[in-house]
Amino acid sequence: MTLTTKAPSAGPVRRGGGVRGVRPAAAPDRTPRPGSLYILPAALFFAVFAVGPVIGVGVLSFMEWNGLGDPRFAGTANWERFLGSGAIWDATGRTLLLTGACWVVQTPISLAIGVWSAGRQRNRAVLSAVYFLPLLLSSAAIALGWKAILDPNFGAAKALGPLIGYSDGDLLGDTQGALLCIVMVVTWQFVPFHALLYQAAARNIPASIYDAALIDGAGRATAFRYITLPQLRNTIITSSTLMIVGSLTYFETILLLTDGGPGGATHVLPFLMYTEGFRSYEMGFAATIATALVVLGTSLSLLIVRFSGFAKMRSTLEGI
Amino acid sequence: MTTHFSRRHFLGLAGGTTGALMLGATGCGGSSGPGGSGSLTVWSLQDPVQNPIQKAALKRFSDKAGAQTKLETFLNTAYTQKLRVAMGSPNTPDVLFNWGGGSIRQYVDNGLLQDLTPELEKNPEFKAKFLPSVLEAGRIDGKYYGIPLRGMQPVILFYNKKLFEKHDAQPPTTWAETLKLVDTFKKAGVTPFAVAGAESWTQLMWLEYLCDRIGGPDVFGAIAEGDKSGWADPAMVRAIDAIADLAGRGGFGTNFSSVQYQTGASPLLAKGKAAMHLMGSWEYTNQLDQEPEFTKDGLGWTTFPAFEGGAGDPKAIVGNPTNYFSVSKRSENAGKALGFLKQEMGSDTYVDALIKGGDVPAVADIEARLKDSPNPEFAGFVYDMVRDAPSFQLSWDQAIENKYAQPMLTNLQKVFLGKLDGKGYAAAMKAA
């Protein structure tokens, strides 16, 4: 039994709220410790660029402002409009649907690619380099590229559409098809990043565990199920949090690929926030949507942290 | 984390704007914004043909007046937003490109634009240089805020001559003929009308013309003035129903909702996959650029058909009367700005350059000079069309109050998709 060995590394998951257990041990220590002064630059930066604007947006959500002249206090008018608008509820539902779909599709794929590419074989190294290429492209380039591919008359959609039930290649112009396209493009764009997280984490699993399992007669599938997956637990949580909070606020692809169309079929909350603010010039209402997104995103990530036991930061390597 | 993600877009946009502003500032020494140290800053759209013409005009002005000038150009999609943020800040450009109407109404309401009426009254010969209907379109509350800066862009019905010859058809002059043509071309496996359904401003042209033909220009005129009940006007309802009917008949094909304008609808017409395409006059230049062969011997054009029993004049047109240069009220170079506009916008050199570039300027009595256009036939058609039009209605998405533009377009997409009819559209717009 080895009780004292500290986990050498918990991979990329070592962030957020794990300091609690460390403090008491250092009581009689005389060495100069980082005081609160050390945190000042970061705190200032955070206050100016994160806390300040969020408060500003919150205040603006009670105002009426068209971007010119001075904002006028509007009471709760924006919030009443927000809660009473069918379009907002539709968009909220669609945002959650898209977030869920992106998570369900991306997680298994990136997990599989990540674990596979963690192997040291040369062909895997070459292929992983290819898989990770989309990471180098900007969202705009990716969206515009896919837009050309999905053109129903001159793009690949003309040939590929019929194979999946769109005989005239009208993928982007169909209510479900457009959502499908967005999930697909977002997946293509972000799977490499999450695969990279899984690859790093999978490489951190000590070979000794697999060796022990092999001796006990475990096959590949069993090893994956009972060793790899549990060992990747913290990474799965990290990656899921990033994915969920990311897709909740994601809108570049939608703006460029469908522009919210067809007929509002891809209107999600961040997209509406943009159009209200920068096309309709209703800055107050846009701020209302933004505030709602902040609340939604924060609650979701808090829920994930809470129910996954992530906050306890238990190492997956205890007992080794 | 969350705040970081949701703010990123705002920061990105704000950053872009700041960048543009900083460019503006450096252009004139950076002391106190674009107006500060005497350099005249002009904002315009990026355009490979227009920009050199504008630059040359600015150079002539600076040579003569000894003033420093600077032309800054922006992409079409980003321009409105950049201008908006700049106009809300102390660093406005001196002279700014715009579409007249709703695109500048809020600037006028907030006292940000110079009233050019006194200047035009003082110089009647300058005022007389422009076509009155086009100058009119730049008027807000009875005052002039814009000087026409380039060609007129009415919406025209383009067609593929070869397809019409092959199927022994004539371009439509009435709505009944239009519907008959839909059947003819559908039978032949050709999409009757190309429409870029992924960009709903192209669909709006259909509504603009049909509503004008059925009820005349006042139906939308009332809406532009802020009367929302106009959406339930019988003419509007009928126009929407006519679109839904045309779409239901397959008049636009089956996959138009995914079709883009430049990479979709235009090639469809040029390659003979679609017979007709309702588009602004800039489509001619666009086709000339992309498909010079087809433009030379296959591209035909005509006016939008009349609607049987409609109250509108079949000679009326819609589109962009022209683009305008307006002068910012915060400009410290207002005198220079006015000097520039007066010296150049109606000058023979500038107008000739526009004509050579394929534009049909909104300048009076230039019929004879249009022979220098790359296509005198097309230029003459556009010029006569505008000169003889009883009204020239500004594109609705530019004319309407900003906050209604997006719902108007989104709901129209639903009409094309068969999800809304005339009454449903009226209800949706009333709720917007």
Side-chain angles (χ1 to χ4, degrees):
Chain A
M1 294 287 276
T2 48
L3 285 169
T4 46
T5 323
K6 252 178 74 190
S9 154
V13 294
R14 189 195 285 190
R15 41 156 109 207
V19 206
R20 222 182 301 141
V22 185
R23 213 188 297 127
D29 193 1
R30 287 271 160 97
T31 48
R33 292 257 139 206
S36 53
L37 205 63
Y38 284 68
I39 211 175
L40 199 63
L44 267 179
F45 195 81
F46 188 69
V48 170
F49 288 103
V51 180
V54 168
I55 294 173
V57 164
V59 172
L60 197 58
S61 74
F62 294 96
M63 308 258 211
E64 195 189 328
W65 189 40
N66 65 13
L68 303 167
D70 296 321
R72 264 204 324 270
F73 189 66
T76 54
N78 286 329
W79 285 97
E80 280 162 29
R81 183 177 158 201
F82 182 85
L83 295 172
S85 157
I88 290 290
W89 287 110
D90 284 354
T92 310
R94 216 171 280 124
T95 310
L96 294 175
L97 174 79
L98 211 58
T99 306
C102 284
W103 183 80
V104 167
V105 174
Q106 285 183 64
T107 303
I109 300 179
S110 34
L111 187 63
I113 295 182
V115 170
W116 179 83
S117 62
R120 307 275 173 189
Q121 294 87 334
R122 177 158 298 177
N123 68 331
R124 292 193 185 187
V126 173
L127 277 174
S128 339
V130 176
Y131 284 145
F132 296 148
L133 268 183
L135 266 182
L136 304 175
L137 302 174
S138 79
S139 298
I142 290 173
L144 291 177
W146 278 100
K147 200 170 169 173
I149 293 173
L150 289 168
D151 186 285
N153 298 301
F154 305 105
K158 187 185 164 77
L160 299 179
L163 302 179
I164 53 168
Y166 293 90
S167 55
D168 49 6
D170 194 20
L171 268 159
L172 281 176
D174 181 82
T175 306
Q176 272 95 46
L179 283 172
L180 202 75
C181 290
I182 288 166
V183 173
M184 184 180 70
V185 174
V186 168
T187 301
W188 190 82
Q189 180 176 3
F190 287 106
V191 154
F193 172 71
H194 294 281
L196 205 60
L197 291 185
Y198 286 119
Q199 186 199 38
R203 283 195 173 155
N204 255 348
I205 305 174
S208 57
I209 310 185
Y210 288 106
D211 295 342
L214 198 65
I215 294 169
D216 290 344
R220 270 190 178 204
T222 322
F224 180 78
R225 167 72 185 81
Y226 291 99
I227 298 171
T228 315
L229 272 189
Q231 288 287 320
L232 291 179
R233 209 177 87 101
N234 286 341
T235 312
I236 294 175
I237 295 164
T238 307
S239 149
S240 300
T241 313
L242 287 175
M243 247 180 231
I244 289 171
V245 177
S247 357
L248 209 57
T249 54
Y250 199 68
F251 103 120
E252 296 100 302
T253 306
I254 296 176
L255 180 76
L256 292 166
L257 204 61
T258 66
D259 198 21
T266 49
H267 277 180
V268 292
L269 285 180
F271 181 81
L272 285 187
M273 172 179 80
Y274 170 80
T275 52
E276 287 295 339
F278 293 96
R279 287 192 186 160
S280 301
Y281 302 114
E282 300 235 34
M283 295 298 176
F285 191 55
T288 310
I289 303 178
T291 312
L293 273 173
V294 170
V295 172
L296 194 64
T298 315
S299 335
L300 266 181
S301 37
L302 283 178
L303 278 179
I304 296 171
V305 169
R306 168 124 213 170
F307 286 104
S308 60
F310 184 61
K312 295 187 199 111
M313 283 302 274
R314 191 167 291 138
S315 165
T316 46
L317 292 175
E318 269 170 52
I320 296 185
Chain B
M1 182 75 61
T2 322
T3 52
H4 168 76
F5 270 96
S6 54
R7 264 186 333 99
R8 204 177 61 200
H9 314 304
F10 282 113
L11 284 180
L13 288 162
T17 316
T18 324
L21 289 172
M22 278 162 62
L23 274 176
T26 38
C28 54
S31 57
S32 59
S37 52
S39 175
L40 180 70
T41 311
V42 178
W43 275 22
S44 182
L45 283 195
Q46 229 170 68
D47 184 314
V49 179
Q50 293 290 318
N51 293 155
I53 300 177
Q54 292 158 356
K55 247 181 220 154
L58 276 171
K59 184 160 187 315
R60 284 194 296 276
F61 173 71
S62 62
D63 286 350
K64 206 166 168 196
Q68 283 201 329
T69 59
K70 179 154 180 67
L71 178 72
E72 284 174 36
T73 62
F74 304 90
L75 281 177
N76 196 343
T77 40
Y79 180 73
T80 347
Q81 287 146 20
K82 280 197 169 135
L83 182 65
R84 181 80 178 195
V85 180
M87 290 302 279
S89 81
N91 299 319
T92 63
D94 298 312
V95 175
L96 49 119
F97 174 103
N98 62 74
W99 291 264
S103 73
I104 54 166
R105 180 172 284 277
Q106 287 195 341
Y107 300 145
V108 172
D109 289 346
N110 282 279
L112 296 171
L113 291 185
Q114 197 105 4
D115 177 9
L116 303 176
T117 320
E119 208 59 37
L120 285 164
E121 301 302 336
K122 253 192 288 168
N123 302 281
E125 75 289 348
F126 177 59
K127 187 180 172 188
K129 277 189 172 162
F130 304 101
L131 286 179
S133 72
V134 174
L135 206 54
E136 250 2 71
R139 228 156 100 139
I140 289 179
D141 302 332
K143 290 174 184 159
Y144 297 102
Y145 289 95
I147 302 295
L149 96 104
R150 61 167 299 186
M152 307 177 286
Q153 301 167 334
V155 174
I156 294 170
L157 185 59
F158 290 94
Y159 62 94
N160 185 319
K161 276 190 201 161
K162 285 179 181 158
L163 278 177
F164 271 74
E165 272 164 33
K166 193 172 150 200
H167 299 286
D168 198 23
Q170 297 297 319
T173 58
T174 65
W175 194 245
E177 288 177 24
T178 311
L179 296 182
K180 217 176 280 166
L181 279 175
V182 169
D183 293 336
T184 310
F185 284 114
K186 262 181 70 186
K187 238 177 260 161
V190 173
T191 304
F193 290 99
V195 70
E199 302 178 41
S200 47
W201 56 269
T202 66
Q203 297 173 321
L204 188 61
M205 295 172 175
W206 282 92
L207 181 57
E208 287 163 3
Y209 258 133
L210 276 169
C211 183
D212 191 277
R213 291 288 185 268
I214 295 172
D218 295 337
V219 178
F220 179 74
I223 296 173
E225 298 285 317
D227 178 12
K228 274 171 90 174
S229 67
W231 293 112
D233 188 292
M236 181 71 73
V237 174
R238 214 164 144 209
I240 292 281
D241 282 337
I243 291 176
D245 171 53
L246 187 61
R249 285 168 191 255
F252 303 108
T254 56
N255 59 12
F256 60 84
S257 281
S258 324
V259 172
Q260 308 286 328
Y261 162 50
Q262 261 187 332
T263 56
S266 295
L268 281 176
L269 182 77
K271 297 192 193 310
K273 291 184 177 177
M276 294 169 270
H277 185 200
L278 186 65
M279 190 36 70
S281 61
W282 58 83
E283 175 65 357
Y284 181 85
T285 331
N286 184 37
Q287 290 285 10
L288 191 65
D289 188 43
Q290 291 185 12
E291 303 272 352
E293 284 294 301
F294 163 72
T295 311
K296 223 167 65 197
D297 38 62
L299 184 65
W301 50 82
T302 184
T303 50
F304 193 82
F307 198 92
E308 289 84 352
D313 189 325
K315 282 197 161 127
I317 46 178
V318 304
N320 298 334
T322 186
N323 301 130
Y324 301 90
F325 268 149
S326 295
V327 179
S328 161
K329 212 170 214 171
R330 292 200 177 124
S331 164
E332 290 166 26
N333 297 312
K336 281 180 206 155
L338 287 172
F340 165 66
L341 295 179
K342 273 193 290 192
Q343 180 192 315
E344 286 301 328
M345 290 301 109
S347 81
D348 288 352
T349 331
Y350 183 73
V351 170
D352 282 340
L354 285 181
I355 292 175
K356 280 212 183 75
D359 261 32
V360 184
V363 175
D365 305 323
I366 51 166
E367 286 94 332
R369 283 151 70 192
L370 288 175
K371 68 179 186 322
D372 291 333
S373 164
N375 188 328
E377 202 194 334
F378 181 72
F381 170 78
V382 171
Y383 192 80
D384 294 349
M385 191 178 177
V386 177
R387 195 194 48 202
D388 301 339
S391 68
F392 193 156
Q393 192 160 60
L394 175 62
S395 301
W396 292 5
D397 49 347
Q398 300 292 344
I400 201 171
E401 207 182 324
N402 292 316
K403 65 174 167 183
Y404 297 125
Q406 197 63 31
M408 176 174 75
L409 292 168
T410 303
N411 286 322
L412 187 60
Q413 262 187 332
K414 292 186 183 161
V415 172
F416 273 79
L417 286 168
K419 290 182 178 166
L420 281 181
D421 62 357
K423 290 215 171 77
Y425 189 78
M429 285 314 294
K430 200 178 153 208

